[in-house]
Amino acid sequence: ISSSDPQLIGTSPLSTATHRFIGSGDDFSVITHADGTEYLASKYWISAYDWYLVEEIPLESVLQPLVTTHRSLLLFSLALLCAFSLLAISFANSISAPLLDFCDTLDVTAAKSLDVYSHSHGYREIDEISEKFNRLLARVKELLQDIQQKERGYTGPSWNS
């Protein structure tokens, strides 16, 4: 039996699990020793001597690179998820903030104040809505001024005709 410790090669007693493994038809197997340690066992038939060469490698040392890779991929995936989440939040805020500003302007207008102006925010669609809103308010102000001027110039119905 070989081992990672060269002094143990050929001196380790075979466990019952190892004996069962040698008698099986498998070339590789996971066996558990009496102390609970799991090993990856592999056997090789040496036909010239009619022997089996059995190697037991601690399963932990075999799986360690996989565990390390798994953890690295998991951390990388979590980092990507966090980055995309922050990007999505930033993008959503950059769109919702101008809309909320425009809604505030509408609230001021609804409170009967026509002296407001909707500012440009850099997004074509929102800027177009703001521009049309500003033109609408300007037109409403013009119409109100026309009505006020006509009311000032109105002297009442003429009864002389």
Side-chain angles (χ1 to χ4, degrees):
I1 295 180
S2 67
S3 172
S4 58
D5 184 0
Q7 294 178 356
L8 294 177
I9 295 176
T11 62
S12 299
L14 295 177
S15 67
T16 306
T18 305
H19 277 292
R20 275 194 223 114
F21 165 63
I22 292 172
S24 73
D26 298 330
D27 290 335
F28 299 95
S29 180
V30 175
I31 59 174
T32 305
H33 284 247
D35 63 356
T37 309
E38 291 185 321
Y39 290 87
L40 176 66
S42 62
K43 67 179 177 184
Y44 306 97
W45 171 251
I46 303 174
S47 59
Y49 298 106
D50 197 23
W51 284 8
Y52 279 104
L53 174 63
V54 177
E55 182 172 23
E56 292 180 355
I57 304 168
L59 192 59
E60 183 179 303
S61 67
V62 173
L63 296 179
Q64 186 58 40
L66 293 174
V67 170
T68 303
T69 303
H70 179 261
R71 286 184 184 148
S72 298
L73 285 174
L74 182 64
L75 288 175
F76 180 72
S77 298
L78 287 174
L80 276 178
L81 179 66
C82 289
F84 282 126
S85 296
L86 290 175
L87 187 64
I89 290 169
S90 173
F91 181 70
N93 286 338
S94 71
I95 290 178
S96 65
L99 288 174
L100 290 174
D101 288 344
F102 184 71
C103 287
D104 291 341
T105 303
L106 290 175
D107 289 341
V108 170
T109 305
K112 300 185 181 176
S113 173
L114 297 179
D115 296 326
V116 294
Y117 179 77
S118 180
H119 299 286
S120 172
H121 294 91
Y123 292 100
R124 187 179 59 85
E125 295 85 359
I126 295 173
D127 290 347
E128 191 172 324
I129 291 172
S130 295
E131 179 185 328
K132 291 184 190 268
F133 175 77
N134 290 335
R135 278 194 272 158
L136 174 70
L137 278 182
R139 182 69 179 135
V140 167
K141 286 179 187 177
E142 287 175 13
L143 290 174
L144 286 175
Q145 287 174 355
D146 287 347
I147 291 172
Q148 289 173 351
Q149 286 176 358
K150 287 180 182 177
E151 285 180 349
R152 285 186 206 133
Y154 181 70
T155 57
S158 175
W159 300 106
N160 296 339
S161 27

